[in-house]
Amino acid sequence: MYRKADLSPILEELDATEGLDGLQAVSIGLRDALEIDHIVYHWVDSAGEQYGCGTYPADWIQRYIDKEYLRVDPVIVGCFQRFHPVDWKAVDWSGKAARVFLADALKNGVGNQGYSIPVRGPSGQFALFTANHNCSDEEWSEFKETYGHDLILIAHYFNRKALDFEENRSPQPVRALSPREVDALTFLALGYSRAQVAHSLSISEHTLRVYIESARFKLGALNTTHAIAKALSQGLIVM
Amino acid sequence: MYRKADLSPILEELDATEGLDGLQAVSIGLRDALEIDHIVYHWVDSAGEQYGCGTYPADWIQRYIDKEYLRVDPVIVGCFQRFHPVDWKAVDWSGKAARVFLADALKNGVGNQGYSIPVRGPSGQFALFTANHNCSDEEWSEFKETYGHDLILIAHYFNRKALDFEENRSPQPVRALSPREVDALTFLALGYSRAQVAHSLSISEHTLRVYIESARFKLGALNTTHAIAKALSQGLIVM
DNA sequence: TTTCCACTCCCCAGAAATAGTGAGGGGAAG
DNA sequence: CTTCCCCTCACTATTTCTGGGGAGTGGAAA
């Protein structure tokens, strides 16, 4: 039976942390306190870039990036679609690429049990906070039972810190879309043609075009499709 | 000085709750346990729809909807841009509409102190969890100090429940895309033209078109833009 | 083994989106 | 009261996308 560790010092340490190196240190402390194999915070950037920190072996992290496992990893997909924390056993490993990925992960020091918490920030920011261990299903259930709540909170704080660092680095000048621009992009995202959208909004197609173009400009998008993709992934419009 | 209330029974009640009415009941219990004026969970939908539950007077809620305060409320805007919980005193009340809104809110039973926690789910889902009270800044600081962590966790669980209800109402079957289709849609979402995508994938433009069409078909999309919007919002592709 | 499905290639005509201009009215903020 | 942004409308030429055909390979599953 698990005896629950006191995590309040970890939370305090997390609160006072500065910089990614600090998060790295906290994740090591947390891993030790929880007596599991790995703790990983993984920021998945909308541009496909990614950074994170945690206790995975450096080899594996490099391999993950090199092999573009991000596109294969079913945990990422599963978390992206859900709000609940995700147990690795519950995601879809049926794809061939996914099974190859899993085998490779296990070979590189990743434990068989995982529990990943999706965290979302403004502008479509998305990250994962994962606890990983090598043990039986029963032990893992007990672990989740014991620390589930705490992990959610800690995931929240990890992401908060990561966002703070990011903000310091690049204060993004996100210029908001005007209501009409939002309308226009929303209808386009729903699959309507420009003519239909113009009709729906009771404006001329020419006017509609102006909105689309100014939205494109504001979003720094190369074309309408890009604008809609950006607006969607930044949470500026919702389908 | 605050003596911290034990919130674990509330969390358990929340865990076992079914339906919006249940959430309503939990928010009342929580308000009483915290000894504050109001607790509100507010799901904000971009389409302008919104639903929520909490302890605000029904009059005020109706007024909020009728007057379209959603578009004015600086707390909404502030939370939408941030990951941190937001104290109402810290948001931008400089706009005229915002000040009118504030005056109206205070007149309708809303307390002067507020603490709102943004929560985000898949597909750009966004909600706010708010604690509201009428008291001095000092008392409020102490309250936030005491219950800040708990409120984050509770906000998370409120949103989880709300999403569960939503899911039960509209379960959608997703048919997976082939790797090539994912590639094609991903590049298109990044703003490349068909010619550029074809070149990037080292295939002919004709072939590329076949992928796009089959992806469109699988997604039940009306056109390419729609397909990309659907794929993005279903988490099938990541930018 | 046969039957899928994923992947690759090709032509053509019509529909739709983009790029380059332009203009005027209204409202909010400084 | 001026400036800035939002909303609305218009024309033309060019590029890009869509929809309609058809055809051949290889791998995986039934």
Side-chain angles (χ1 to χ4, degrees), chain A residues 45-48 71 80-85 120-122 149 156-157 159-160 163-164 189-191 223 225-226 228-229 235 238-239, chain B residues 46 80-85 120-122 149 153 156-157 159-160 163-164 189-191 223 225-226 228-229 232 234-235 238-239:
Chain A
D45 194 78
S46 64
R71 310 238 174 242
F80 198 72
Q81 298 178 130
R82 290 183 184 83
F83 182 73
H84 294 68
R120 293 175 178 85
H149 286 190
H156 180 98
Y157 278 94
N159 200 55
R160 186 186 284 200
L163 279 165
D164 285 346
L190 292 172
N223 53 40
T225 302
H226 193 199
I228 285 160
V238 180
M239 290 181 71
Chain B
S46 86
F80 200 71
Q81 297 175 24
R82 289 183 184 82
F83 182 73
H84 294 68
R120 294 175 176 85
H149 285 189
L153 204 54
H156 180 98
Y157 277 94
N159 199 54
R160 187 187 284 200
L163 280 165
D164 284 347
L190 293 173
N223 53 41
T225 301
H226 194 198
I228 284 158
L232 266 177
Q234 289 175 22
V238 182
M239 286 181 69

Short mmCIF file of all heavy atoms in Angstrom, two decimals, chain A residues 45-48 71 80-85 120-122 149 156-157 159-160 163-164 189-191 223 225-226 228-229 235 238-239, chain B residues 46 80-85 120-122 149 153 156-157 159-160 163-164 189-191 223 225-226 228-229 232 234-235 238-239:
data_model
loop_
_atom_site.label_atom_id
_atom_site.label_comp_id
_atom_site.label_asym_id
_atom_site.label_seq_id
_atom_site.Cartn_x
_atom_site.Cartn_y
_atom_site.Cartn_z
N ASP A 45 4.35 22.55 -29.23
CA ASP A 45 4.10 23.84 -29.85
C ASP A 45 3.28 23.66 -31.12
O ASP A 45 3.40 22.67 -31.82
CB ASP A 45 5.42 24.52 -30.17
CG ASP A 45 5.22 25.98 -30.48
OD1 ASP A 45 5.05 26.77 -29.54
OD2 ASP A 45 5.23 26.31 -31.67
N SER A 46 2.46 24.67 -31.41
CA SER A 46 1.59 24.54 -32.58
C SER A 46 2.40 24.52 -33.87
O SER A 46 1.95 24.01 -34.88
CB SER A 46 0.59 25.68 -32.62
OG SER A 46 1.27 26.90 -32.78
N ALA A 47 3.61 25.07 -33.84
CA ALA A 47 4.43 25.06 -35.05
C ALA A 47 5.14 23.73 -35.22
O ALA A 47 5.88 23.54 -36.17
CB ALA A 47 5.45 26.19 -34.98
N GLY A 48 4.89 22.78 -34.32
CA GLY A 48 5.56 21.49 -34.43
C GLY A 48 6.85 21.46 -33.62
O GLY A 48 7.41 20.41 -33.40
N ARG A 71 4.48 12.79 -34.16
CA ARG A 71 3.38 12.57 -35.10
C ARG A 71 2.78 11.18 -34.96
O ARG A 71 1.75 10.87 -35.56
CB ARG A 71 3.87 12.74 -36.53
CG ARG A 71 4.63 14.00 -36.79
CD ARG A 71 3.97 14.83 -37.88
NE ARG A 71 4.62 16.11 -38.04
CZ ARG A 71 4.04 17.29 -37.85
NH1 ARG A 71 2.77 17.35 -37.50
NH2 ARG A 71 4.69 18.41 -38.03
N PHE A 80 -4.66 15.14 -26.69
CA PHE A 80 -5.11 16.31 -27.43
C PHE A 80 -6.63 16.31 -27.57
O PHE A 80 -7.24 17.36 -27.67
CB PHE A 80 -4.45 16.34 -28.80
CG PHE A 80 -4.50 17.69 -29.46
CD1 PHE A 80 -3.72 18.73 -28.99
CD2 PHE A 80 -5.34 17.92 -30.53
CE1 PHE A 80 -3.77 19.99 -29.57
CE2 PHE A 80 -5.40 19.18 -31.13
CZ PHE A 80 -4.62 20.20 -30.64
N GLN A 81 -7.20 15.13 -27.58
CA GLN A 81 -8.64 15.04 -27.78
C GLN A 81 -9.42 15.04 -26.47
O GLN A 81 -10.64 15.09 -26.49
CB GLN A 81 -8.96 13.76 -28.57
CG GLN A 81 -8.35 13.75 -29.94
CD GLN A 81 -8.64 12.47 -30.71
OE1 GLN A 81 -9.07 12.49 -31.83
NE2 GLN A 81 -8.40 11.34 -30.05
N ARG A 82 -8.72 14.92 -25.38
CA ARG A 82 -9.41 14.76 -24.10
C ARG A 82 -9.06 15.85 -23.10
O ARG A 82 -8.05 16.54 -23.23
CB ARG A 82 -9.03 13.40 -23.47
CG ARG A 82 -9.60 12.21 -24.21
CD ARG A 82 -9.21 10.94 -23.45
NE ARG A 82 -9.64 9.74 -24.13
CZ ARG A 82 -8.97 9.16 -25.11
NH1 ARG A 82 -7.83 9.68 -25.54
NH2 ARG A 82 -9.43 8.05 -25.68
N PHE A 83 -9.88 15.93 -22.10
CA PHE A 83 -9.61 16.85 -20.99
C PHE A 83 -9.11 16.06 -19.78
O PHE A 83 -8.23 16.51 -19.07
CB PHE A 83 -10.90 17.59 -20.63
CG PHE A 83 -10.72 18.59 -19.53
CD1 PHE A 83 -10.06 19.78 -19.77
CD2 PHE A 83 -11.20 18.34 -18.26
CE1 PHE A 83 -9.89 20.72 -18.76
CE2 PHE A 83 -11.04 19.28 -17.24
CZ PHE A 83 -10.38 20.46 -17.49
N HIS A 84 -9.66 14.87 -19.62
CA HIS A 84 -9.25 13.99 -18.54
C HIS A 84 -7.77 13.63 -18.67
O HIS A 84 -7.25 13.55 -19.77
CB HIS A 84 -10.01 12.66 -18.61
CG HIS A 84 -11.45 12.77 -18.37
ND1 HIS A 84 -12.31 13.41 -19.25
CD2 HIS A 84 -12.22 12.31 -17.35
CE1 HIS A 84 -13.55 13.32 -18.76
NE2 HIS A 84 -13.52 12.67 -17.63
N PRO A 85 -7.14 13.35 -17.56
CA PRO A 85 -5.84 12.69 -17.63
C PRO A 85 -5.99 11.35 -18.34
O PRO A 85 -7.05 10.74 -18.31
CB PRO A 85 -5.47 12.48 -16.16
CG PRO A 85 -6.21 13.52 -15.42
CD PRO A 85 -7.49 13.70 -16.18
N ARG A 120 -3.81 23.02 -21.16
CA ARG A 120 -3.98 23.98 -22.27
C ARG A 120 -3.92 25.40 -21.76
O ARG A 120 -4.48 25.72 -20.72
CB ARG A 120 -5.31 23.75 -22.96
CG ARG A 120 -5.38 22.43 -23.69
CD ARG A 120 -6.75 22.17 -24.27
NE ARG A 120 -6.77 20.92 -25.00
CZ ARG A 120 -6.96 19.72 -24.45
NH1 ARG A 120 -7.15 19.63 -23.14
NH2 ARG A 120 -6.96 18.63 -25.19
N GLY A 121 -3.21 26.22 -22.53
CA GLY A 121 -3.13 27.63 -22.20
C GLY A 121 -3.74 28.48 -23.30
O GLY A 121 -4.36 27.95 -24.21
N PRO A 122 -3.55 29.77 -23.20
CA PRO A 122 -4.11 30.68 -24.19
C PRO A 122 -3.52 30.43 -25.57
O PRO A 122 -2.44 29.84 -25.69
CB PRO A 122 -3.69 32.07 -23.68
CG PRO A 122 -3.25 31.89 -22.28
CD PRO A 122 -2.77 30.48 -22.17
N HIS A 149 -5.04 13.74 -7.91
CA HIS A 149 -5.35 15.15 -7.69
C HIS A 149 -4.11 16.01 -7.70
O HIS A 149 -4.07 17.07 -8.33
CB HIS A 149 -6.05 15.33 -6.33
CG HIS A 149 -7.46 14.86 -6.34
ND1 HIS A 149 -8.33 15.10 -5.32
CD2 HIS A 149 -8.16 14.18 -7.26
CE1 HIS A 149 -9.50 14.57 -5.60
NE2 HIS A 149 -9.42 13.99 -6.76
N HIS A 156 -0.61 21.85 -13.67
CA HIS A 156 -1.04 23.23 -13.83
C HIS A 156 0.11 24.19 -13.53
O HIS A 156 0.39 25.12 -14.28
CB HIS A 156 -2.22 23.50 -12.90
CG HIS A 156 -2.74 24.89 -12.97
ND1 HIS A 156 -3.82 25.24 -13.73
CD2 HIS A 156 -2.31 26.04 -12.38
CE1 HIS A 156 -4.04 26.54 -13.61
NE2 HIS A 156 -3.15 27.05 -12.79
N TYR A 157 0.80 23.95 -12.44
CA TYR A 157 1.88 24.85 -12.05
C TYR A 157 3.09 24.75 -12.96
O TYR A 157 3.74 25.75 -13.25
CB TYR A 157 2.28 24.61 -10.58
CG TYR A 157 1.36 25.32 -9.64
CD1 TYR A 157 0.25 24.69 -9.09
CD2 TYR A 157 1.56 26.66 -9.35
CE1 TYR A 157 -0.62 25.35 -8.25
CE2 TYR A 157 0.69 27.34 -8.51
CZ TYR A 157 -0.39 26.68 -7.97
OH TYR A 157 -1.25 27.36 -7.15
N ASN A 159 2.96 24.15 -16.09
CA ASN A 159 2.61 24.88 -17.30
C ASN A 159 2.62 26.38 -17.04
O ASN A 159 3.03 27.16 -17.90
CB ASN A 159 1.22 24.45 -17.79
CG ASN A 159 1.02 24.80 -19.24
OD1 ASN A 159 1.82 24.41 -20.10
ND2 ASN A 159 -0.02 25.55 -19.55
N ARG A 160 2.19 26.77 -15.87
CA ARG A 160 2.18 28.18 -15.54
C ARG A 160 3.60 28.74 -15.62
O ARG A 160 3.84 29.79 -16.22
CB ARG A 160 1.63 28.37 -14.12
CG ARG A 160 1.45 29.80 -13.74
CD ARG A 160 1.05 29.92 -12.30
NE ARG A 160 -0.35 29.58 -12.09
CZ ARG A 160 -1.04 29.97 -11.01
NH1 ARG A 160 -0.45 30.70 -10.07
NH2 ARG A 160 -2.30 29.63 -10.87
N LEU A 163 4.85 28.92 -19.21
CA LEU A 163 4.26 30.05 -19.93
C LEU A 163 4.92 31.36 -19.50
O LEU A 163 5.12 32.26 -20.32
CB LEU A 163 2.76 30.11 -19.65
CG LEU A 163 1.90 29.17 -20.49
CD1 LEU A 163 0.51 29.05 -19.90
CD2 LEU A 163 1.81 29.67 -21.92
N ASP A 164 5.24 31.46 -18.22
CA ASP A 164 5.91 32.67 -17.75
C ASP A 164 7.24 32.88 -18.46
O ASP A 164 7.55 33.96 -18.92
CB ASP A 164 6.14 32.58 -16.23
CG ASP A 164 4.87 32.81 -15.45
OD1 ASP A 164 3.89 33.28 -16.06
OD2 ASP A 164 4.85 32.52 -14.24
N ALA A 189 -14.68 28.09 -41.87
CA ALA A 189 -14.22 26.86 -41.22
C ALA A 189 -15.30 25.79 -41.23
O ALA A 189 -15.02 24.61 -41.20
CB ALA A 189 -13.80 27.16 -39.78
N LEU A 190 -16.55 26.24 -41.31
CA LEU A 190 -17.66 25.29 -41.34
C LEU A 190 -17.90 24.75 -42.75
O LEU A 190 -18.83 23.97 -42.96
CB LEU A 190 -18.93 25.95 -40.80
CG LEU A 190 -18.87 26.27 -39.31
CD1 LEU A 190 -20.07 27.10 -38.88
CD2 LEU A 190 -18.81 24.98 -38.50
N GLY A 191 -17.09 25.20 -43.68
CA GLY A 191 -17.14 24.61 -45.00
C GLY A 191 -17.94 25.38 -46.04
O GLY A 191 -18.05 24.95 -47.17
N ASN A 223 -2.60 32.10 -46.68
CA ASN A 223 -3.84 32.02 -47.45
C ASN A 223 -5.01 31.77 -46.49
O ASN A 223 -4.81 31.66 -45.29
CB ASN A 223 -3.74 30.93 -48.52
CG ASN A 223 -3.33 29.59 -47.92
OD1 ASN A 223 -3.78 29.22 -46.83
ND2 ASN A 223 -2.47 28.88 -48.60
N THR A 225 -6.91 29.21 -45.94
CA THR A 225 -6.83 27.97 -45.18
C THR A 225 -5.89 28.11 -43.99
O THR A 225 -6.20 27.70 -42.88
CB THR A 225 -6.35 26.83 -46.09
OG1 THR A 225 -7.26 26.72 -47.19
CG2 THR A 225 -6.28 25.54 -45.35
N HIS A 226 -4.76 28.75 -44.25
CA HIS A 226 -3.79 28.96 -43.19
C HIS A 226 -4.38 29.84 -42.10
O HIS A 226 -4.20 29.58 -40.90
CB HIS A 226 -2.55 29.62 -43.79
CG HIS A 226 -1.36 29.62 -42.88
ND1 HIS A 226 -0.29 30.47 -43.05
CD2 HIS A 226 -1.08 28.88 -41.78
CE1 HIS A 226 0.60 30.25 -42.10
NE2 HIS A 226 0.15 29.29 -41.32
N ILE A 228 -7.45 30.17 -41.25
CA ILE A 228 -8.42 29.43 -40.45
C ILE A 228 -7.73 28.44 -39.53
O ILE A 228 -8.10 28.29 -38.37
CB ILE A 228 -9.44 28.75 -41.38
CG1 ILE A 228 -10.37 29.83 -41.91
CG2 ILE A 228 -10.21 27.67 -40.67
CD1 ILE A 228 -11.10 29.49 -43.14
N ALA A 229 -6.71 27.80 -40.03
CA ALA A 229 -5.96 26.87 -39.19
C ALA A 229 -5.35 27.60 -38.01
O ALA A 229 -5.42 27.13 -36.86
CB ALA A 229 -4.89 26.17 -40.02
N GLY A 235 -7.37 29.34 -30.85
CA GLY A 235 -8.60 29.50 -30.08
C GLY A 235 -9.35 30.78 -30.39
O GLY A 235 -10.19 31.20 -29.60
N VAL A 238 -14.09 29.06 -32.92
CA VAL A 238 -14.46 27.70 -32.51
C VAL A 238 -15.50 27.20 -33.48
O VAL A 238 -16.38 27.94 -33.90
CB VAL A 238 -15.02 27.69 -31.08
CG1 VAL A 238 -15.39 26.28 -30.68
CG2 VAL A 238 -14.02 28.27 -30.12
N MET A 239 -15.37 25.95 -33.85
CA MET A 239 -16.33 25.39 -34.80
C MET A 239 -17.62 24.98 -34.10
O MET A 239 -17.62 24.58 -32.97
CB MET A 239 -15.74 24.18 -35.50
CG MET A 239 -14.64 24.57 -36.44
SD MET A 239 -14.01 23.14 -37.26
CE MET A 239 -15.36 22.76 -38.35
N SER B 46 -17.93 30.14 -28.30
CA SER B 46 -17.66 31.26 -29.22
C SER B 46 -18.89 31.64 -30.01
O SER B 46 -19.06 32.78 -30.41
CB SER B 46 -16.56 30.89 -30.19
OG SER B 46 -17.12 30.23 -31.29
N PHE B 80 -9.35 34.88 -20.91
CA PHE B 80 -9.12 34.23 -22.21
C PHE B 80 -7.67 34.37 -22.64
O PHE B 80 -7.15 33.54 -23.37
CB PHE B 80 -10.05 34.83 -23.26
CG PHE B 80 -10.24 33.96 -24.46
CD1 PHE B 80 -10.97 32.79 -24.37
CD2 PHE B 80 -9.66 34.29 -25.67
CE1 PHE B 80 -11.12 31.96 -25.47
CE2 PHE B 80 -9.80 33.47 -26.78
CZ PHE B 80 -10.53 32.31 -26.67
N GLN B 81 -7.06 35.44 -22.19
CA GLN B 81 -5.67 35.69 -22.61
C GLN B 81 -4.64 35.11 -21.65
O GLN B 81 -3.46 35.13 -21.94
CB GLN B 81 -5.44 37.20 -22.72
CG GLN B 81 -6.28 37.85 -23.77
CD GLN B 81 -6.12 39.37 -23.76
OE1 GLN B 81 -5.13 39.92 -23.33
NE2 GLN B 81 -7.13 40.04 -24.24
N ARG B 82 -5.12 34.66 -20.51
CA ARG B 82 -4.16 34.24 -19.49
C ARG B 82 -4.34 32.77 -19.10
O ARG B 82 -5.37 32.18 -19.34
CB ARG B 82 -4.32 35.10 -18.24
CG ARG B 82 -3.85 36.52 -18.40
CD ARG B 82 -3.99 37.25 -17.07
NE ARG B 82 -3.65 38.65 -17.16
CZ ARG B 82 -4.48 39.61 -17.59
NH1 ARG B 82 -5.71 39.29 -17.95
NH2 ARG B 82 -4.11 40.87 -17.63
N PHE B 83 -3.33 32.27 -18.47
CA PHE B 83 -3.41 30.92 -17.91
C PHE B 83 -3.63 31.01 -16.40
O PHE B 83 -4.37 30.22 -15.83
CB PHE B 83 -2.12 30.17 -18.23
CG PHE B 83 -2.12 28.76 -17.75
CD1 PHE B 83 -2.88 27.81 -18.40
CD2 PHE B 83 -1.37 28.38 -16.66
CE1 PHE B 83 -2.90 26.49 -17.96
CE2 PHE B 83 -1.37 27.07 -16.21
CZ PHE B 83 -2.14 26.12 -16.87
N HIS B 84 -3.00 31.98 -15.80
CA HIS B 84 -3.14 32.21 -14.37
C HIS B 84 -4.59 32.52 -14.01
O HIS B 84 -5.31 33.11 -14.80
CB HIS B 84 -2.35 33.45 -13.95
CG HIS B 84 -0.88 33.32 -14.08
ND1 HIS B 84 -0.26 33.23 -15.29
CD2 HIS B 84 0.09 33.30 -13.14
CE1 HIS B 84 1.05 33.14 -15.08
NE2 HIS B 84 1.28 33.18 -13.80
N PRO B 85 -4.97 32.19 -12.80
CA PRO B 85 -6.22 32.73 -12.27
C PRO B 85 -6.14 34.25 -12.26
O PRO B 85 -5.05 34.82 -12.15
CB PRO B 85 -6.27 32.18 -10.85
CG PRO B 85 -5.43 30.95 -10.88
CD PRO B 85 -4.35 31.22 -11.88
N ARG B 120 -9.46 25.31 -19.92
CA ARG B 120 -9.56 25.03 -21.35
C ARG B 120 -9.61 23.55 -21.62
O ARG B 120 -8.88 22.78 -21.00
CB ARG B 120 -8.38 25.63 -22.10
CG ARG B 120 -8.37 27.14 -22.06
CD ARG B 120 -7.13 27.71 -22.71
NE ARG B 120 -7.21 29.16 -22.74
CZ ARG B 120 -6.85 29.95 -21.73
NH1 ARG B 120 -6.41 29.42 -20.61
NH2 ARG B 120 -6.98 31.26 -21.85
N GLY B 121 -10.49 23.17 -22.55
CA GLY B 121 -10.59 21.78 -22.95
C GLY B 121 -10.24 21.61 -24.41
O GLY B 121 -9.77 22.55 -25.04
N PRO B 122 -10.48 20.42 -24.94
CA PRO B 122 -10.16 20.16 -26.35
C PRO B 122 -11.00 21.04 -27.27
O PRO B 122 -12.04 21.54 -26.87
CB PRO B 122 -10.55 18.68 -26.53
CG PRO B 122 -10.69 18.12 -25.18
CD PRO B 122 -11.06 19.26 -24.27
N HIS B 149 -5.09 27.04 -4.37
CA HIS B 149 -4.82 25.72 -4.93
C HIS B 149 -6.09 24.91 -5.12
O HIS B 149 -6.32 24.31 -6.15
CB HIS B 149 -3.88 24.94 -4.02
CG HIS B 149 -2.47 25.43 -4.09
ND1 HIS B 149 -1.44 24.77 -3.49
CD2 HIS B 149 -1.92 26.50 -4.68
CE1 HIS B 149 -0.31 25.41 -3.70
NE2 HIS B 149 -0.58 26.47 -4.42
N LEU B 153 -8.07 23.18 -8.61
CA LEU B 153 -8.44 21.77 -8.75
C LEU B 153 -9.95 21.63 -8.95
O LEU B 153 -10.42 20.86 -9.81
CB LEU B 153 -8.00 21.02 -7.49
CG LEU B 153 -7.78 19.53 -7.64
CD1 LEU B 153 -6.80 19.25 -8.77
CD2 LEU B 153 -7.25 18.95 -6.33
N HIS B 156 -11.02 22.55 -12.35
CA HIS B 156 -10.72 21.45 -13.25
C HIS B 156 -11.84 20.41 -13.23
O HIS B 156 -12.31 19.96 -14.27
CB HIS B 156 -9.39 20.82 -12.84
CG HIS B 156 -8.97 19.68 -13.69
ND1 HIS B 156 -8.06 19.82 -14.71
CD2 HIS B 156 -9.34 18.37 -13.68
CE1 HIS B 156 -7.89 18.65 -15.29
NE2 HIS B 156 -8.64 17.74 -14.68
N TYR B 157 -12.29 20.05 -12.05
CA TYR B 157 -13.31 19.00 -11.94
C TYR B 157 -14.67 19.46 -12.43
O TYR B 157 -15.42 18.69 -13.02
CB TYR B 157 -13.39 18.48 -10.50
CG TYR B 157 -12.33 17.45 -10.24
CD1 TYR B 157 -11.10 17.80 -9.70
CD2 TYR B 157 -12.54 16.12 -10.60
CE1 TYR B 157 -10.11 16.86 -9.49
CE2 TYR B 157 -11.56 15.17 -10.39
CZ TYR B 157 -10.35 15.54 -9.83
OH TYR B 157 -9.38 14.61 -9.63
N ASN B 159 -15.13 21.52 -14.84
CA ASN B 159 -15.07 21.49 -16.30
C ASN B 159 -15.10 20.06 -16.82
O ASN B 159 -15.72 19.77 -17.84
CB ASN B 159 -13.80 22.18 -16.78
CG ASN B 159 -13.89 22.58 -18.23
OD1 ASN B 159 -14.84 23.27 -18.62
ND2 ASN B 159 -12.96 22.12 -19.05
N ARG B 160 -14.46 19.17 -16.09
CA ARG B 160 -14.46 17.78 -16.50
C ARG B 160 -15.89 17.25 -16.56
O ARG B 160 -16.29 16.61 -17.54
CB ARG B 160 -13.64 16.97 -15.50
CG ARG B 160 -13.44 15.53 -15.92
CD ARG B 160 -12.78 14.73 -14.83
NE ARG B 160 -11.35 15.01 -14.73
CZ ARG B 160 -10.49 14.18 -14.14
NH1 ARG B 160 -10.91 13.06 -13.59
NH2 ARG B 160 -9.22 14.49 -14.08
N LEU B 163 -17.86 18.75 -19.46
CA LEU B 163 -17.47 18.12 -20.73
C LEU B 163 -18.07 16.73 -20.86
O LEU B 163 -18.48 16.32 -21.95
CB LEU B 163 -15.95 18.04 -20.82
CG LEU B 163 -15.24 19.32 -21.25
CD1 LEU B 163 -13.76 19.24 -20.97
CD2 LEU B 163 -15.47 19.59 -22.73
N ASP B 164 -18.13 16.01 -19.76
CA ASP B 164 -18.73 14.67 -19.79
C ASP B 164 -20.18 14.75 -20.24
O ASP B 164 -20.63 13.97 -21.07
CB ASP B 164 -18.64 14.02 -18.41
CG ASP B 164 -17.25 13.52 -18.10
OD1 ASP B 164 -16.44 13.47 -19.05
OD2 ASP B 164 -16.97 13.20 -16.94
N ALA B 189 -2.54 23.05 -43.86
CA ALA B 189 -2.87 23.87 -42.69
C ALA B 189 -1.76 24.87 -42.40
O ALA B 189 -2.01 25.92 -41.82
CB ALA B 189 -3.10 22.99 -41.47
N LEU B 190 -0.55 24.54 -42.81
CA LEU B 190 0.57 25.45 -42.58
C LEU B 190 0.62 26.53 -43.65
O LEU B 190 1.52 27.37 -43.64
CB LEU B 190 1.89 24.67 -42.55
CG LEU B 190 2.03 23.73 -41.36
CD1 LEU B 190 3.27 22.87 -41.48
CD2 LEU B 190 2.09 24.53 -40.06
N GLY B 191 -0.31 26.49 -44.57
CA GLY B 191 -0.44 27.60 -45.51
C GLY B 191 0.19 27.36 -46.87
O GLY B 191 0.17 28.24 -47.72
N ASN B 223 -15.27 21.06 -48.29
CA ASN B 223 -14.14 21.50 -49.11
C ASN B 223 -12.85 21.35 -48.30
O ASN B 223 -12.88 20.92 -47.15
CB ASN B 223 -14.34 22.94 -49.59
CG ASN B 223 -14.63 23.87 -48.42
OD1 ASN B 223 -14.02 23.77 -47.38
ND2 ASN B 223 -15.59 24.76 -48.61
N THR B 225 -10.80 23.48 -46.98
CA THR B 225 -10.72 24.29 -45.76
C THR B 225 -11.51 23.63 -44.63
O THR B 225 -11.05 23.54 -43.49
CB THR B 225 -11.27 25.69 -46.03
OG1 THR B 225 -10.51 26.28 -47.07
CG2 THR B 225 -11.20 26.54 -44.80
N HIS B 226 -12.68 23.16 -44.98
CA HIS B 226 -13.51 22.48 -43.99
C HIS B 226 -12.81 21.23 -43.45
O HIS B 226 -12.83 20.95 -42.26
CB HIS B 226 -14.85 22.10 -44.65
CG HIS B 226 -15.90 21.69 -43.67
ND1 HIS B 226 -17.02 20.98 -44.04
CD2 HIS B 226 -16.00 21.88 -42.33
CE1 HIS B 226 -17.76 20.77 -42.97
NE2 HIS B 226 -17.18 21.30 -41.93
N ILE B 228 -9.66 20.67 -43.23
CA ILE B 228 -8.56 21.03 -42.34
C ILE B 228 -9.09 21.52 -41.00
O ILE B 228 -8.56 21.17 -39.94
CB ILE B 228 -7.66 22.07 -43.03
CG1 ILE B 228 -6.83 21.34 -44.06
CG2 ILE B 228 -6.78 22.78 -42.03
CD1 ILE B 228 -6.30 22.19 -45.14
N ALA B 229 -10.16 22.29 -41.05
CA ALA B 229 -10.75 22.76 -39.80
C ALA B 229 -11.24 21.58 -38.96
O ALA B 229 -10.99 21.51 -37.75
CB ALA B 229 -11.91 23.72 -40.10
N LEU B 232 -8.23 19.57 -37.60
CA LEU B 232 -7.59 20.30 -36.51
C LEU B 232 -8.42 20.20 -35.24
O LEU B 232 -7.90 19.89 -34.17
CB LEU B 232 -7.44 21.77 -36.88
CG LEU B 232 -6.13 22.20 -37.50
CD1 LEU B 232 -6.20 23.67 -37.86
CD2 LEU B 232 -4.98 21.95 -36.55
N GLN B 234 -10.54 18.08 -34.40
CA GLN B 234 -10.65 16.73 -33.86
C GLN B 234 -9.29 16.18 -33.44
O GLN B 234 -9.17 15.02 -33.07
CB GLN B 234 -11.28 15.80 -34.90
CG GLN B 234 -12.76 16.09 -35.12
CD GLN B 234 -13.36 15.25 -36.23
OE1 GLN B 234 -12.84 14.19 -36.58
NE2 GLN B 234 -14.46 15.71 -36.80
N GLY B 235 -8.30 17.02 -33.55
CA GLY B 235 -6.98 16.60 -33.11
C GLY B 235 -6.32 15.58 -34.01
O GLY B 235 -5.40 14.88 -33.60
N VAL B 238 -1.83 18.20 -36.21
CA VAL B 238 -1.31 19.22 -35.30
C VAL B 238 -0.45 20.16 -36.10
O VAL B 238 0.32 19.73 -36.96
CB VAL B 238 -0.46 18.57 -34.18
CG1 VAL B 238 0.03 19.65 -33.23
CG2 VAL B 238 -1.26 17.53 -33.45
N MET B 239 -0.62 21.41 -35.86
CA MET B 239 0.19 22.38 -36.63
C MET B 239 1.59 22.49 -36.04
O MET B 239 1.77 22.40 -34.85
CB MET B 239 -0.49 23.74 -36.61
CG MET B 239 -1.70 23.78 -37.51
SD MET B 239 -2.44 25.41 -37.50
CE MET B 239 -1.20 26.36 -38.36
#
